[in-house]
Structure formats: C-alpha cells, structure tokens
C-alpha cells in the first residue's frame, strides 16, 4: 500500500507562512529526535522549546499535546482534564496520515496537514504565554521560531483554538 503524501511538506509549510505574512525564523541543524538531544543547539535559539506528544485515546480520538520541553506531562492525570479516555502514543502510520510527520518530528505546525480536524490540540499554558515558541517545521532537522503574535496567527489561519492546560497544576 502506498502512503498518501501530506498536503504540506517542510518547504510548503514555510512558503505558507511567507504567503500569510507570518514572521518566523527557521534554523537548520542536525537531526534531533528527543527533547534531551540537541540541548546545546537549543541554548543558542531564544524562546521556549517544545515537546510534542501525538496520542490516541481508548475511544480512538486523536490528541496532540504541545508543551515546554521541561514540562512534565502526566498521561495518567491528563485524561480527566482534557476530557479524553486513557491515552497511549499514536502509531507512525496514523501520525503520517493526520499530521504529515514522522516520529521525532511531531509538531504543532503539523496541524496544517489535519484538514479533517481529527486531532484535538492541547497546549501547555507555559507555551501560550511564552514570548517566542520553537517548533520543528514538519522535520527534525530544523526549528522554526515564532513570536507569540505569529504563533497565534498560525493558529487563527488554521482555524484552531487550542485547549490551554496548566500542566504544572496537574502535578500533586
């Protein structure tokens, strides 16, 4: 079976940002697969760096949680707050089908490929309030920095209203 190609790849995403007049700065770098990797690269880039979790609940609903890289996301406590059933990680095929990304490249910017709005977007309050947020532009060999106004422009252009959660209050 041939996998469908997502509507947007990294170059098309960056062109879309340009066409929408959304200010951004994209830094190219070696591949980074996990939050712990590339800390020295991130230290040179201002703003909040992110971790992004692509999840599926027991009822088959899809979730994308974007949080600051140092935020503890408790997947046992999160369901009652976000209104999901028990959460587990979504598989690679589903990730590609809905967000157009591979493992290690999960990003809120992948919502551009979720035309059917199958994925519910959950955002860490610390990112919602950050001056600058950094996300992979659909690939883990680059990081795109957006100031808060630009990030909100992206969400508005995509017609996405995130569920903003204070994950720090879930820790008890």
């Amino acid at each position: 079976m041939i996998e469908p190609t997502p509507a947007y790849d990294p170059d098309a995403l960056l062109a879309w940002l340009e066409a929408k007049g959304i200010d951004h700065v994209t830094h190219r770098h070696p591949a980074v697969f996990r939050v712990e990797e590339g800390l020295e690269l991130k230290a040179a880039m201002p703003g909040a760096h992110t971790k992004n979790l692509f999840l599926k609940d027991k009822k088959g609903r899809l979730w994308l949680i974007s949080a600051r890289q140092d935020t503890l996301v408790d997947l046992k406590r999160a369901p009652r707050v976000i209104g999901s059933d028990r959460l587990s990680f979504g598989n690679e095929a589903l990730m590609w089908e809905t967000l157009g990304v591979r493992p290690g490249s999960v990003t809120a910017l992948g919502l551009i490929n979720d035309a059917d709005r199958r994925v519910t977007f959950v955002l860490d309050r610390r990112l919602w309030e950050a001056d600058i947020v950094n996300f992979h532009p659909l690939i883990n060999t680059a990081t795109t920095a957006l100031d808060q106004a630009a990030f909100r422009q992206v969400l508005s252009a995509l017609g996405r209203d995130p569920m903003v959660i204070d994950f720090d209050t879930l820790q008890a």
Side-chain angles (χ1 to χ4, degrees):
M1 180 175 126
I2 298 174
E3 290 182 330
T5 302
Y8 288 87
D9 64 13
D11 292 333
L13 168 68
L14 296 176
W16 179 85
L17 291 171
E18 293 290 332
K20 296 283 185 191
I22 298 172
D23 290 334
H24 64 283
V25 176
T26 298
H27 307 272
R28 306 282 176 187
H29 53 70
V32 176
F33 292 92
R34 294 184 343 264
V35 169
E36 300 79 25
E37 293 178 34
L39 291 176
E40 63 286 344
L41 288 170
K42 295 174 190 176
M45 294 179 230
H49 291 273
T50 60
K51 65 177 162 189
N52 298 274
L53 308 174
F54 178 69
L55 306 164
K56 182 177 180 180
D57 74 13
K58 204 166 102 176
K59 293 181 180 173
R61 293 179 299 176
L62 304 178
W63 303 83
L64 173 62
I65 296 178
S66 292
R68 267 182 68 122
Q69 70 180 5
D70 58 349
T71 299
L72 176 63
V73 178
D74 186 336
L75 295 182
K76 287 185 176 26
R77 294 175 187 245
R80 77 169 189 280
V81 176
I82 66 174
S84 72
D85 209 313
R86 189 172 39 111
L87 295 164
S88 60
F89 288 94
N91 68 42
E92 182 175 353
L94 195 54
M95 184 185 304
W96 180 254
E97 178 185 321
T98 55
L99 299 178
V101 296
R102 301 287 185 201
S105 299
V106 178
T107 172
L109 298 175
L111 293 169
I112 196 169
N113 283 316
D114 184 27
D116 295 333
R117 298 180 187 279
R118 293 172 57 194
V119 180
T120 300
F121 183 41
V122 178
L123 185 67
D124 179 7
R125 178 170 303 285
R126 295 170 67 206
L127 289 182
W128 187 245
E129 296 171 350
D131 292 336
I132 298 171
V133 292
N134 292 283
F135 291 99
H136 288 311
L138 308 180
I139 193 161
N140 66 357
T141 56
T143 297
T144 296
L146 301 156
D147 67 23
Q148 195 54 241
F151 181 51
R152 292 185 191 204
Q153 273 184 281
V154 168
L155 294 176
S156 177
L158 295 176
R160 293 301 188 123
D161 195 13
M163 181 185 305
V164 179
I165 301 295
D166 186 347
F167 285 99
D168 291 336
T169 64
L170 297 182
Q171 311 316 311

